[in-house]
Amino acid sequence: MSLEAWLASLQATLPPGRALPRAPGARLTKLLTALAAQFKAAQDRLEAVLVQWDPRAATTLLTDWEQLLGLPDECQADLTLTVGDRQRIAFARLTEQGGQSVAYFKALLAAYGEPDAVIDHKFRPATCNDTCNDELFSEADRFVWRVRIQHPPENVRAMTCNDNCNDALQLYQPALAECPLQERKPAHTVLVFAYQPASDALLDALHTFVHEDMVDALGW
């Protein structure tokens, strides 16, 4: 309801008579307008609270949602998240029902902002029936599956002398979906992530870490 509608509702409760004027400039009208403004403010606040019942739109109650859902967990402990990231993670946690199928993991990827990701799980061991151009996978590769993220990774840089010796040669900020999928994958499997296409930032990082002639020789 608008302020005018609230004022009209209050005036409608008044008994008729010249002692209770409805004219815009009357003191009673000014008093009722002030009361109508309070009702309108309460209405607006209630409507805003109703929006907070959906984690995807929650702002003022987003922290309460996170406390209810046990967030942030270990997957988000070291990440700098935007409000949109936090909303997406909270909604995914609230609606997740669990599973081990490809369809379940695709839905999980979509919930964490990667709807176009592709899942590969055809790393079967090579046999004598394969052609000479087929890829050589071992028996252990049978339990490997891959998620291809359809965009470059963020904050890509090469390892430097200031990094820990156990760090990877290329460092990047993982997609939000990486950690949740690693936590939920079947225990006997190995999950790897690939980001496509390669970004200019990754190529620049390689040029700083590897001699330029070597990079050219590898065709990068």
Side-chain angles (χ1 to χ4, degrees):
M1 293 175 60
S2 64
L3 178 62
E4 292 75 16
W6 275 110
L7 176 60
S9 296
L10 291 174
Q11 289 176 329
T13 63
L14 299 175
R18 296 176 62 184
L20 301 173
R22 275 74 166 174
R27 291 183 178 179
L28 180 59
T29 301
K30 293 179 180 180
L31 174 62
L32 293 179
T33 300
L35 292 175
Q38 296 301 312
F39 284 116
K40 178 66 168 61
Q43 173 192 335
D44 292 342
R45 181 58 179 165
L46 177 60
E47 291 175 350
V49 170
L50 291 176
V51 173
Q52 303 300 313
W53 286 104
D54 186 344
R56 293 170 294 182
T59 51
T60 57
L61 294 184
L62 182 56
T63 301
D64 297 87
W65 274 114
E66 290 173 329
Q67 291 178 347
L68 175 66
L69 298 169
L71 297 172
D73 58 15
E74 293 182 357
C75 284
Q76 295 90 41
D78 299 324
L79 298 180
T80 301
L81 302 175
T82 65
V83 172
D85 291 335
R86 293 168 58 198
Q87 291 170 336
R88 186 181 301 112
I89 292 170
F91 184 74
R93 177 66 62 86
L94 178 66
T95 57
E96 184 183 352
Q97 296 182 349
Q100 294 285 271
S101 66
V102 174
Y104 162 71
F105 286 108
K106 286 184 176 180
L108 195 63
L109 283 163
Y112 281 89
E114 303 295 345
D116 299 324
V118 177
I119 295 178
D120 296 329
H121 53 91
K122 297 180 180 179
F123 299 94
R124 64 175 180 80
T127 69
C128 59
N129 295 318
D130 294 324
T131 68
C132 61
N133 292 322
D134 287 340
E135 296 173 299
L136 296 177
F137 294 117
S138 67
E139 186 66 28
D141 293 325
R142 184 190 300 274
F143 304 105
V144 176
W145 55 294
R146 176 177 61 192
V147 172
R148 289 189 282 123
I149 305 295
Q150 301 301 305
H151 60 78
E154 298 181 1
N155 300 329
V156 181
R157 68 176 180 84
M159 178 185 181
T160 70
C161 59
N162 295 319
D163 293 309
N164 190 289
C165 61
N166 294 320
D167 288 342
L169 296 181
Q170 287 107 32
L171 305 175
Y172 66 94
Q173 179 177 321
L176 287 178
E178 273 206 32
C179 184
L181 263 70
Q182 291 286 6
E183 286 187 337
R184 292 159 177 77
K185 68 178 178 65
H188 65 287
T189 65
V190 176
L191 171 58
V192 295
F193 286 84
Y195 290 80
Q196 298 174 344
S199 66
D200 292 338
L202 177 57
L203 296 179
D204 291 340
L206 288 173
H207 275 279
T208 62
F209 188 77
V210 183
H211 192 276
E212 186 171 354
D213 293 338
M214 182 180 295
V215 174
D216 292 338
L218 293 174
W220 287 341

